[in-house]
């Protein structure tokens, strides 16, 4: 078992800082990247983490050392920073070339929460290894897309106290939200940040089969070095969940033992803020979280959570090793990963029941490794930091790392959106959901949702008070006017369209107040559904 006895870099490494300032510009000025090219974390003995400019400089140096690493961008932050994207394994760095490669496409994204910086520095190390010929075998079956600094604006708002109790970097870290104050890992469905819209465009254009999202957790004091999660929404295609949960993650856990202990992300109920019996509880099934969102797009969304009370250097290392192990498995099973995402895309959902909200699905007891921490003082603020002690105490408890639906709704052949609901259409389009507009009026036998109750959450969340509708679907005949938008469920994003459009969904258009105006004073949900696809069409998107 790996211990954390090395300890954090508590003494100010002033000498090393001076050295780092000497090394970084030299390495960045186009000289060979082999030898001497250090991340800012490495160059400061893990006292500091990379700034946005450090990353651009580092990537430019890698790019000049290895022409196979293409450095570009996939969009913009709120403050106009270009969001870097590195592409490896495709002849040219375009979305068309990446898709045409026929290989399995993997996106590694870091720093969505810009205080959780280990993924950013780990992804730089990984790219440096690749630039020096490391992991060459992956190239046969994988295209790698790396977004090392997704929340670029948050990264630049460094403070020493942005992550209370986290064990470094003691030179500070960025903030959790973006410059708008939005948590980007709650923005996947409503898409209110330019960062999330940039990322979803990347999803639509490059269509990664696998999305690995790198974080750190400061929850329950457990005994693991890193915890993880597959897609958690119970409406996710079984071809995705079975493989991720049943084969991929167990293989990685086995491979990383005994050096690194990994298991499903979880907390004790008191730390998760829920009233429940003793058990190991994961976070949420809602697709506002990235791993769940990728799952509803029929892709492998995999969450990584390094333990915040490991020294920063160890967090970087366990994160890099976890990603390498995931990629080794992806390379060895590249064909199966593509087949499963393809099967999920082709699944006919019409007429099946899918969940619109979920509750924990606790299985039989499992052995969870609990741990302990000791308190240290931050050398510059005097605040308490916690350090993981190298001990693990197995405890048996209910395994609550999955969800089941507590309410379902039937997937129609199509949803029918009347003219005038532009914000809804705009959001569906931003997600990449396909639709077409009726060119002439059309009579339809379908269903309408009768509203019995409409309420908003007491507590504000991400600038919203989420809405919940009560009611039921019943048969309805209508003449749909020209311009009605038809959203067929028979498309790769059918599950995502369902979760956005069903009136009872806990993470859709209704929940995020997109339809508030249209719902004022009406007794029926404005969007209809139909068991058969209407035909007259024009203006396809
Ligand atoms: Zn996080």
């Amino acid at each position: 078992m790996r211990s954390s006895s090395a300890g954090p870099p508590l003494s100010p490494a002033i000498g090393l800082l001076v050295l780092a300032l000497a090394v970084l510009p030299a390495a960045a000025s186009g000289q060979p990247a082999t030898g001497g090219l250090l991340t800012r974390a490495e160059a400061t003995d893990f006292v500091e983490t990379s700034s946005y400019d450090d990353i651009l400089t580092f990537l430019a140096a890698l790019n000049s050392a290895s022409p196979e690493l293409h450095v570009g961008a996939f969009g913009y932050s709120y403050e106009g920073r270009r969001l870097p994207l590195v592409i490896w394994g495709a002849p040219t760095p375009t979305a068309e070339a990446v898709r045409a490669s026929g290989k399995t496409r993997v996106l590694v994204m870091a720093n969505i929460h810009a205080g959780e910086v280990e993924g950013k520095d780990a992804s730089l190390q990984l790219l440096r290894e690749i630039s020096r010929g490391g992991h060459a075998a992956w190239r046969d079956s994988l295209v790698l897309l790396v977004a090392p600094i997704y929340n670029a604006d948050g990264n630049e708002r460094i403070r020493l106290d942005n992550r209370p109790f986290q064990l470094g970097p003691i030179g500070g870290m960025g903030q959790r939200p973006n410059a708008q104050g939005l948590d980007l890992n709650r923005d996947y469905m409503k898409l209110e940040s330019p960062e999330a819209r940039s990322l979803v465009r990347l999803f639509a254009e490059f269509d990664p089969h696998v999305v690995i999202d790198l974080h750190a957790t400061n929850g329950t004091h457990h005994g693991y070095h890193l915890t993880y999660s597959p897609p958690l929404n119970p409406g996710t295609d079984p071809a995705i969940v079975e493989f991720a949960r049943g084969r991929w993650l167990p293989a990685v856990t086995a491979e990383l033992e005994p050096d690194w202990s990994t298991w499903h992300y979880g907390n004790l109920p008191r730390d998760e803020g829920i009233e429940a019996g003793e058990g190991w509880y994961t976070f949420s099934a809602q697709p506002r979280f990235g791993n769940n969102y990728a799952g509803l797009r029929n892709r492998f969304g995999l969450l990584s959570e390094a333990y915040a009370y490991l020294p920063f250097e160890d967090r970087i290392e366990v994160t890099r090793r976890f990603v390498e192990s995931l990629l080794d498995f992806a390379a060895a099973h590249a064909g199966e990963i593509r087949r499963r995402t393809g099967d999920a895309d082709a699944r006919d959902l019409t007429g099946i029941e899918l969940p619109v909200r979920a509750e924990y699905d606790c299985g039989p007891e499992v052995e969870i490794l609990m741990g302990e921490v000791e308190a240290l003082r931050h050398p510059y603020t005097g605040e308490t930091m916690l350090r993981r002690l190298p001990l693990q105490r197995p405890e048996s408890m209910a395994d609550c790392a999955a969800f089941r639906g507590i309410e379902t709704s039937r997937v129609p052949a199509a949803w029918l959106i009347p003219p005038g609901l532009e914000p809804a259409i705009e959001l569906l389009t931003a997600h990449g959901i396909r639709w077409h507009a009726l060119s002439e009026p059309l009579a339809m036998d379908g269903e309408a949702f009768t509203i019995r109750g409409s309420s908003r959450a007491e507590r504000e969340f991400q600038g919203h008070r989420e809405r919940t509708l009560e009611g039921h679907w019943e048969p309805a005949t209508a003449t749909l006017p020209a311009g009605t938008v038809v959203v067929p469920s028979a498309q790769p994003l059918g599950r995502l369209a369902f979760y956005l459009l069903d009136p009872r969904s806990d993470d859709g258009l209704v929940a995020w107040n997109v339809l508030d105006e249209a719902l004022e004073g009406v007794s029926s949900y404005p969007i209809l559904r139909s068991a058969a696809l209407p035909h007259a069409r024009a203006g396809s998107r």
Side-chain angles (χ1 to χ4, degrees):
M1 190 61 51
R2 184 185 169 83
S3 85
S4 308
S5 55
L10 284 179
S11 57
I14 300 300
L16 281 164
L17 280 175
V18 174
L19 178 66
L21 292 172
V23 167
L24 275 175
S29 62
Q31 294 172 12
T34 51
L37 182 60
L38 301 178
T39 67
R40 175 133 162 202
E42 293 164 340
T44 61
D45 199 19
F46 300 93
V47 170
E48 297 178 3
T49 184
S50 307
S51 70
Y52 178 75
D53 284 343
D54 290 337
I55 287 184
L56 295 189
T57 303
F58 190 94
L59 295 181
L62 291 187
N63 192 202
S64 59
S66 169
E68 291 184 352
L69 280 175
H70 304 285
V71 180
F74 67 97
Y76 291 92
S77 71
Y78 185 72
E79 292 182 334
R81 293 186 174 89
R82 298 175 81 225
L83 302 176
L85 179 71
V86 183
I87 301 174
W88 177 67
T92 53
T94 64
E96 293 68 31
V98 165
R99 288 200 315 273
S101 72
K103 296 192 246 182
T104 295
R105 306 177 287 271
V106 182
L107 171 66
V108 178
M109 52 180 282
N111 226 48
I112 185 170
H113 292 145
E116 304 167 17
V117 290
E118 44 289 304
K120 177 182 57 174
D121 291 291
S123 64
L124 297 182
Q125 291 182 343
L126 188 62
L127 289 169
R128 184 179 55 198
E129 284 175 20
I130 287 170
S131 77
R132 295 172 177 176
H135 306 298
W138 289 347
R139 211 175 192 286
D140 296 338
S141 52
L142 303 182
V143 175
L144 208 52
L145 310 166
V146 180
I149 183 165
Y150 176 42
N151 183 3
D153 296 347
N155 189 77
E156 301 304 279
R157 286 163 163 72
I158 293 212
R159 286 176 56 133
L160 300 191
D161 61 352
N162 266 339
R163 292 274 292 171
F165 304 110
Q166 179 167 288
L167 193 49
I170 58 170
M173 63 290 282
Q175 69 177 27
R176 183 182 181 89
N178 78 343
Q180 292 164 280
L182 292 176
D183 185 334
L184 300 179
N185 204 26
R186 306 293 183 272
D187 198 34
Y188 280 91
M189 293 298 269
K190 59 188 172 66
L191 299 180
E192 291 180 323
S193 65
E195 290 90 347
R197 283 178 175 252
S198 300
L199 184 65
V200 167
R201 279 173 71 113
L202 184 158
F203 284 4
E205 291 173 7
F206 288 86
D207 192 13
H209 301 95
V210 182
V211 179
I212 302 171
D213 183 22
L214 306 178
H215 294 248
T217 180
N218 54 3
T220 292
H221 297 166
H222 60 57
Y224 301 103
H225 299 99
L226 182 147
T227 49
Y228 50 64
S229 178
L232 294 172
N233 192 280
T236 313
D237 196 284
I240 304 298
V241 178
E242 286 165 10
F243 193 69
R245 189 180 281 276
R247 290 177 56 193
W248 197 343
L249 292 169
V252 167
T253 284
E255 192 195 305
L256 294 179
E257 290 285 357
D259 293 338
W260 302 104
S261 294
T262 63
W263 189 243
H264 287 271
Y265 177 88
N267 287 300
L268 298 179
R270 64 169 179 272
D271 297 325
E272 193 64 30
I274 53 175
E275 286 186 30
E278 202 69 349
W280 191 240
Y281 289 83
T282 188
F283 51 102
S284 166
Q286 290 173 310
R288 64 189 63 179
F289 294 85
N291 59 312
N292 302 332
Y293 176 78
L296 279 194
R297 292 182 73 108
N298 301 330
R299 300 297 177 257
F300 289 91
L302 303 172
L303 172 79
S304 165
E305 295 270 2
Y307 189 45
Y309 309 132
L310 284 173
F312 180 38
E313 180 176 6
D314 288 2
R315 300 203 311 269
I316 294 173
E317 188 175 346
V318 71
T319 300
R320 195 190 72 248
R321 288 290 301 117
F322 180 67
V323 172
E324 285 171 344
S325 183
L326 287 174
L327 291 173
D328 283 338
F329 188 95
H333 300 82
E336 177 153 18
I337 288 168
R338 290 196 301 273
R339 184 177 61 70
R340 284 176 176 268
T341 58
D343 287 353
D345 284 352
R347 190 101 54 212
D348 182 4
L349 304 175
T350 308
I352 72 167
E353 296 277 333
L354 286 178
V356 289
R357 48 196 65 233
E359 67 179 6
Y360 285 106
D361 184 13
C362 295
E365 289 200 345
V366 284
E367 194 170 84
I368 297 296
L369 298 177
M370 300 310 293
E372 286 182 24
V373 294
E374 63 178 352
L376 304 169
R377 290 284 171 201
H378 189 291
Y380 300 110
T381 66
E383 295 296 327
T384 301
M385 303 188 297
L386 300 178
R387 175 161 62 185
R388 176 185 184 272
L389 294 172
L391 60 88
Q392 296 173 317
R393 196 178 58 252
E395 281 184 27
S396 284
M397 61 185 82
D399 177 9
C400 307
F403 289 88
R404 62 169 162 254
I406 47 174
E407 182 181 338
T408 64
S409 184
R410 196 175 338 109
V411 181
W415 294 270
L416 306 155
I417 307 177
L421 295 185
E422 269 66 33
I425 308 300
E426 196 281 328
L427 189 56
L428 295 174
T429 307
H431 282 282
I433 290 167
R434 294 203 293 262
W435 52 266
H436 60 268
L438 294 179
S439 57
E440 52 195 63
L442 189 71
M444 175 211 77
D445 278 328
E447 287 179 296
F449 185 85
T450 300
I451 298 171
R452 275 192 294 107
S454 180
S455 59
R456 294 183 71 185
E458 290 291 318
R459 200 172 66 90
E460 188 176 287
F461 179 74
Q462 297 290 301
H464 289 267
R465 285 173 52 218
E466 292 167 72
R467 182 175 295 282
T468 304
L469 290 185
E470 313 281 344
H472 59 275
W473 291 97
E474 50 190 322
T477 55
T479 298
L480 306 171
T484 296
V485 162
V486 180
V487 183
S489 66
Q491 60 173 307
L493 296 182
R495 286 176 196 268
L496 178 61
F498 168 84
Y499 221 88
L500 285 164
L501 289 167
D502 192 275
R504 288 280 296 147
S505 163
D506 64 4
D507 214 353
L509 301 179
V510 168
W512 289 116
N513 312 119
V514 177
L515 297 175
D516 274 10
E517 219 173 284
L519 288 169
E520 243 169 65
V522 301
S523 59
S524 188
Y525 183 56
I527 299 173
L528 306 176
R529 69 182 191 186
S530 167
L533 198 58
H535 280 297
R537 64 167 62 191
S540 291
R541 286 295 300 266

